[in-house]
């Protein structure tokens, strides 16, 4: 039997998580390069429809599990279902999106099975038959090639944006119903109400210009520099996480994976280092200007123009210049 | 409540990283070290719970013996005692090995709650907390911003961060493990009195061998090569005298990018 690659596909009952589709692209690449067979795996309740959707992509089969205990996510039932599947089928790889849900569940699965988990990968390398995974380390300033030294299955999570879902190859796959027995699962962690800070928020997604501020601002007093600049260019103010955590701006102005996603014509990133959690929320902006004192800040990898220097000096000078011409 | 807070010593935020000659780690020669950022928030949450309910905060760390210094800082902030698993061989670099020594070290600690950060600023696997919970056979919750504990009722509520500005309350029985997100609440400074007292507080040092990990144990993940990707920089970098670069930028925004 040929070796297998499984891709776990996340969903909310109605839609497939976009990062899972990106993960499926990675699965297709790996299947092609290693000659392994690719299967999509779907856990949930009444997910046959979603399974049929997935069957329109080039995979060997879509395996789905319908179980009332999988309707709402709990790490307990998710881990048990996956343990049962991985113990009987033993794929070479289980690929997953690096989602908030999987990062809550996958390390537990990994420890339970005694199988390695490589988290937050952005790529893979295959040379002379050896597969290594590429991920960022040290505050995303260095890359690492990581080798797995335990027996398969290897569990892998993929960072959002590492592949383009558009690259998915279409196909026609069979859909397989795979039951699991979750009768022994004890749910200890109970899910309560959801709080949505985003509900009444300022909608930054429509803004033409955004001045966004990060940790580099250092002091609340310096926020005036940002407000002055935003006034001159008629911009909305946004922020990366540390600024919101300090209460220097309200949480509804946070941009990034735990905040809003924006794509203005002009995005001024001031004192923002460019952690991936922020970058995913703003990288599709048309023109990005980054002002930062650290030459190695990852924000310069997504910015169109970068200014290397002290924002306390540069921002007022920029505001003054713009006031003259606008 | 007896609360264990796991803290890790990592290279400081201002570090300029250079890859070491073995290509598997950074050159630590000119690096300073600090408590991993979200671990400091975990410690703050632990100290607040102790102030409210009484009890003890134990800090647990795995790392170079030099990590005693960051442990003293945690003790100065208010933790009561420390357990340092001294990894002199730099062998404990994977979530499974870390989970193994940490769970063994906690075997005889009758804790109510284990707190950790969500991820480390060096390896950034974001796994060890959840692996530890599995090995301790206790429930866990990750990326927590707020805790409401009811130690009498042996349970707590925790607010978990989710995608797109949403948060979710979770209820867990104690003992449990929570991984805390950076920014949960402002972190205190150590007082002078705290610093003085910290000198006398106990730090017990354990070796991996005492905790079931022999010198021959192989980590399940191994960094084969660490590197900088310079070619990735996309930005056209302007540097020099402020007035001149501001002029240049504005001109580019008007004429090249046409966004002004």
């Amino acid at each position: 039997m040929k070796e297998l690659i499984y891709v776990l596909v996340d969903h909310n009952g109605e839609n497939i998580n976009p990062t899972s589709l990106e993960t499926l692209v990675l699965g297709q690449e790996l299947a092609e390069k290693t000659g392994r067979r690719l299967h999509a795996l779907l856990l949930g309740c009444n997910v046959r429809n979603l399974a049929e959707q997935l069957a329109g992509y080039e995979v060997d089969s879509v395996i789905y599990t319908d179980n009332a205990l999988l309707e709402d996510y709990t790490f307990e039932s998710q881990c048990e279902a996956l343990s049962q599947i991985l113990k009987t089928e033993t794929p070479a790889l289980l690929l997953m999106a690096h989602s908030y849900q999987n990062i809550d569940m996958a390390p537990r699965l990994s420890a339970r099975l005694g199988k390695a988990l490589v988290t937050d990968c952005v790529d893979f390398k295959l040379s002379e038959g050896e597969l290594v995974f590429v991920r960022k380390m040290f505050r995303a300033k260095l890359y690492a090639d990581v080798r797995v030294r335990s027996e398969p299955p290897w569990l892998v999570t993929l960072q959002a944006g590492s592949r383009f879902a558009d690259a998915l190859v279409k196909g026609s796959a069979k859909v397989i119903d795979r039951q699991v027995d979750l009768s022994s699962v004890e749910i200890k962690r109970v899910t309560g109400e959801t709080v949505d800070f985003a509900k009444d928020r300022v909608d930054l997604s429509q803004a033409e210009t955004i001045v966004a501020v990060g940790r580099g601002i250092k002091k609340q007093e310096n926020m005036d520099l940002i407000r002055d600049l935003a006034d001159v260019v008629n911009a909305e103010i946004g922020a990366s996480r540390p600024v919101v955590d300090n209460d220097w701006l309200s949480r509804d102005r946070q941009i990034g994976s735990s905040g809003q996603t924006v794509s203005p014509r002009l995005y001024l990133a001031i004192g923002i280092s460019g952690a991936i959690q922020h970058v995913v929320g703003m990288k599709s902006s048309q023109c990005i200007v980054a002002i930062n004192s650290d030459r190695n800040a990852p924000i310069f990898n997504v910015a169109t123009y970068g200014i290397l220097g002290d924002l306390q000096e540069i921002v007022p000078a920029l505001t003054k210049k713009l006031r003259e011409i606008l | 409540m007896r609360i264990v807070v796991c803290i890790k010593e990592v290279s400081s935020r201002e570090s300029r990283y250079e890859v070491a000659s073995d290509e598997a780690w950074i050159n630590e020669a000119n690096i300073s070290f600090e408590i991993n950022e979200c671990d400091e928030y975990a410690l703050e949450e632990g100290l607040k719970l102790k102030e409210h309910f009484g009890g003890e905060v134990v800090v647990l760390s795995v790392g170079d013996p030099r990590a005693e210094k960051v442990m003293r800082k945690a003790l100065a902030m208010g933790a009561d005692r420390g357990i340092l698993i001294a990894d002199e061989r730099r062998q404990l670099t994977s979530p499974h090995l870390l989970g193994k020594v940490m769970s063994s070290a906690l075997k005889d600690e009758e804790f109510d709650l284990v707190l950790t950060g969500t991820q480390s600023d060096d390896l950034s696997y974001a796994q060890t907390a959840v692996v530890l919970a599995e090995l301790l056979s206790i429930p866990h919750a990750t990326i927590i911003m707020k805790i409401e504990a009811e130690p009498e009722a042996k349970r707590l509520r925790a607010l978990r961060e989710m995608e797109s500005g949403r948060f979710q309350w979770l209820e867990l029985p104690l003992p449990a493990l929570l991984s805390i997100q950076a920014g949960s609440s402002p972190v205190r400074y150590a007082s002078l009195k705290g610093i003085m007292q910290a000198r006398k507080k106990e730090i017990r040092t354990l070796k991996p061998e005492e905790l079931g990990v022999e010198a021959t144990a192989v980590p399940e993940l191994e960094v084969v090569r660490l590197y900088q990707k310079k070619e990735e920089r996309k930005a056209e970098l302007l540097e020099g005298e402020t007035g001149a670069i501001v002029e240049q930028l504005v001109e580019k925004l008007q004429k090249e990018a046409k966004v002004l």
Side-chain angles (χ1 to χ4, degrees):
Chain A
M1 196 178 77
K2 272 199 168 178
E3 284 192 300
L4 310 175
I5 297 173
Y6 278 16
V7 174
L8 177 68
V9 176
D10 301 351
H11 60 89
N12 62 4
E14 286 167 17
N15 298 302
I16 289 165
N17 175 347
T19 312
S20 293
L21 293 178
E22 296 166 15
T23 310
L24 201 57
V25 173
L26 179 82
Q28 289 185 335
E29 283 174 32
L30 277 164
E32 195 195 316
K33 291 201 169 137
T34 59
R36 290 171 175 151
R37 297 165 91 100
L38 179 66
H39 299 268
L41 184 60
L42 205 58
L43 306 182
C45 186
N46 299 319
V47 289
R48 170 112 202 166
N49 277 345
L50 288 175
E52 307 267 353
Q53 260 182 53
L54 282 172
Y57 297 115
E58 190 178 82
V59 291
D60 251 55
S61 75
V62 179
I63 302 164
Y64 75 97
T65 295
D66 264 334
N67 192 304
L69 279 172
L70 294 170
E71 179 162 14
D72 293 316
Y73 165 76
T74 64
F75 73 82
E76 290 100 338
S77 39
Q78 194 92 359
C79 274
E80 178 57 28
L82 287 167
S83 299
Q84 286 179 23
I85 292 169
L86 296 183
K87 275 182 189 161
T88 45
E89 267 105 296
T90 359
L93 292 166
L94 173 68
L95 309 178
M96 297 166 267
H98 192 74
S99 58
Y100 280 56
Q101 181 170 308
N102 289 333
I103 201 54
D104 188 68
M105 175 280 292
R108 203 142 190 152
L109 178 67
S110 159
R112 190 168 303 176
L113 297 171
K115 304 295 182 187
L117 165 66
V118 201
T119 38
D120 214 9
C121 296
V122 295
D123 208 352
F124 69 90
K125 289 178 185 168
L126 188 63
S127 83
E128 292 163 23
E130 195 196 31
L131 181 60
V132 297
F133 296 93
V134 182
R135 60 190 304 285
K136 295 177 191 177
M137 288 183 173
F138 293 95
R139 306 173 200 270
K141 288 180 180 171
L142 296 175
Y143 282 79
D145 294 346
V146 175
R147 177 194 289 157
V148 180
R149 300 189 61 174
S150 61
E151 293 297 307
W154 298 353
L155 317 182
V156 176
T157 67
L158 183 73
Q159 188 172 94
S162 304
R163 289 292 183 275
F164 290 103
D166 297 352
L168 267 177
V169 181
K170 297 257 169 16
S172 168
K174 57 182 183 292
V175 172
I176 297 169
D177 179 1
R178 164 74 160 88
Q179 290 308 309
V180 290
D181 176 11
L182 301 181
S183 55
S184 66
V185 173
E186 192 192 342
I187 308 289
K188 287 189 174 160
R189 186 177 100 183
V190 181
T191 305
E193 70 274 21
T194 298
V195 186
D196 195 349
F197 285 107
K199 216 168 47 191
D200 307 310
R201 70 188 173 192
V202 189
D203 184 7
L204 298 178
S205 67
Q206 301 305 314
E208 288 265 305
T209 308
I210 292 176
V211 175
V213 55
R215 188 195 294 269
I217 192 77
K218 294 206 174 91
K219 289 187 291 207
Q220 188 165 17
E221 296 88 275
N222 292 337
M223 288 297 293
D224 286 340
L225 302 177
I226 304 300
R227 289 194 193 93
D228 291 347
L229 176 60
D231 271 353
V232 172
V233 290
N234 196 18
E236 286 285 357
I237 298 180
S240 66
R241 189 182 176 109
V243 172
V244 172
D245 284 341
N246 278 331
D247 279 333
W248 296 344
L249 272 180
S250 58
R251 191 162 290 281
D252 62 358
R253 290 193 179 266
Q254 188 182 330
I255 293 166
S257 57
S258 52
Q260 303 198 46
T261 301
V262 299
S263 50
R265 290 182 68 217
L266 176 60
Y267 190 93
L268 292 140
I270 298 169
I272 290 178
S273 67
I276 181 67
Q277 292 81 357
H278 180 74
V279 168
V280 294
M282 49 65 83
K283 65 180 175 191
S284 57
S285 305
Q286 189 186 323
C287 177
I288 299 168
V289 175
I291 302 174
N292 206 293
S293 59
D294 178 2
R295 179 181 294 275
N296 297 316
I299 192 73
F300 290 131
N301 303 339
V302 293
T304 326
Y305 304 111
I307 291 188
L308 189 66
D310 179 4
L311 69 88
Q312 290 193 56
E313 210 175 291
I314 289 158
V315 174
L318 181 60
T319 306
K320 184 162 169 276
K321 176 71 192 167
L322 289 167
R323 193 170 279 141
E324 283 165 24
I325 62 156
L326 293 176
Chain B
M1 289 179 90
R2 181 178 287 171
I3 301 155
V4 176
V5 181
C6 305
I7 62 171
K8 187 177 189 184
E9 179 218 52
V10 297
S11 46
S12 67
R13 177 165 293 277
E14 287 71 33
S15 301
R16 293 200 175 276
Y17 295 115
E18 251 176 66
V19 176
S21 55
D22 68 355
E23 293 198 314
W25 197 248
I26 52 163
N27 183 358
E28 292 184 339
N30 299 310
I31 294 277
S32 63
F33 294 89
E34 62 188 20
I35 300 179
N36 186 51
E37 186 182 20
C38 43
D39 301 355
E40 212 166 358
Y41 286 95
L43 177 60
E44 177 62 36
E45 294 301 324
L47 294 173
K48 279 197 303 190
L49 288 170
K50 180 186 123 175
E51 280 162 4
H52 201 271
F53 298 107
E56 187 187 28
V57 170
V58 182
V59 282
L60 170 65
S61 188
V62 186
D64 190 282
R66 125 198 109 215
E68 188 183 328
K69 196 174 159 196
V70 298
M71 295 199 82
R72 288 282 168 212
K73 187 187 169 193
L75 296 174
M77 284 167 72
D80 298 284
R81 60 187 169 93
I83 304 171
L84 174 61
I85 302 169
D87 180 23
E88 291 181 46
R89 298 184 288 264
R90 200 157 54 72
Q91 172 196 18
L92 306 174
T93 52
S94 75
H96 286 189
L97 288 188
L98 286 164
K100 183 156 189 188
V101 290
M102 291 164 82
S103 61
S104 309
L106 294 181
K107 202 168 46 116
D108 299 320
E109 298 282 345
E110 284 177 15
F111 57 84
D112 301 291
L113 182 62
V114 180
L115 299 174
T116 73
T118 46
Q119 66 173 48
S120 62
D121 289 327
D122 50 11
L123 296 168
S124 309
Y125 287 128
Q127 291 188 42
T128 304
V130 185
V131 167
L132 178 59
E134 172 70 16
L135 297 178
L136 293 170
S137 302
I138 56 173
H140 77 278
T142 45
I143 329 183
I144 297 305
M145 291 294 285
K146 198 186 269 186
I147 304 170
E148 290 176 358
E150 292 175 63
E152 293 291 309
K154 286 260 164 222
R155 67 176 177 223
L156 62 76
R157 269 160 50 89
L159 188 65
R160 171 168 208 260
E161 180 183 308
M162 301 186 17
E163 275 104 346
S164 312
R166 289 177 310 129
F167 292 80
Q168 188 172 53
W169 282 105
L170 299 167
E171 189 175 316
L172 295 90
L174 297 177
L177 180 146
L178 303 177
S179 83
I180 306 297
Q181 173 69 297
S184 52
S185 53
V187 172
R188 70 192 63 198
Y189 290 98
S191 65
L192 192 60
K193 191 175 157 214
I195 294 168
M196 300 299 285
Q197 285 171 342
R199 290 183 191 159
K200 289 183 226 112
K201 289 178 179 171
E202 177 206 12
I203 295 180
R204 189 153 59 104
T205 303
L206 297 170
K207 290 189 165 71
E209 292 80 357
E210 298 171 69
L211 301 165
V213 173
E214 299 300 323
T216 49
V218 175
E220 78 281 9
L221 299 178
E222 178 189 36
V223 174
V224 282
R225 195 167 83 88
L226 200 60
Y227 50 98
Q228 235 148 7
K229 251 191 184 175
K230 286 215 178 69
E231 70 277 22
E232 202 187 39
R233 177 179 302 153
K234 188 185 144 206
E236 185 181 333
L237 213 53
L238 311 173
E239 49 188 310
E241 191 267 315
T242 302
I245 50 181
V246 164
E247 292 268 343
Q248 272 183 57
L249 176 69
V250 170
E251 188 173 321
K252 283 175 187 299
L253 291 178
Q254 285 183 309
K255 297 193 176 142
E256 253 176 41
K258 298 192 169 63
V259 288
L260 278 184

